[in-house]
Amino acid sequence: MTPSEIARVTNYLRRTFDNNRIAIDPPRAKGQPVEMRIGDEFLGVLHRDEDEGEVSYSLQIMILEEDLPPLA
């Protein structure tokens, strides 16, 4: 993803979720994923898809079992 695409998707997510703490980090090296976080908390990875000239973005959010509260 280009820096322009990252900025556009970041702005979209911030508006959609009404949260200015959302950040998308460019990959640290070529071939690594684009990561999404809120503040310091990693939430998931963002993928860019292009099919027949149409571009879309998908966000895969990870929830670790160890981060879930215990059942009541």
Side-chain angles (χ1 to χ4, degrees), residues 48-62:
R48 181 185 189 275
D49 299 307
E50 187 169 348
D51 185 29
E52 296 182 9
E54 293 186 13
V55 176
S56 64
Y57 304 89
S58 61
L59 176 62
Q60 182 180 11
I61 296 177
M62 283 72 147

Side-chain angles (χ1 to χ4, degrees), residues 1 3-4 6 9 11-12 15 23-24 30 32 38 41-42 51 55-56 68 70:
M1 289 178 56
S4 174
I6 290 172
V9 173
N11 288 334
Y12 171 80
R15 281 192 327 270
I24 298 175
K30 187 175 181 173
Q32 289 189 331
I38 295 180
E41 185 71 25
F42 169 79
D51 185 29
V55 176
S56 64
L68 294 174

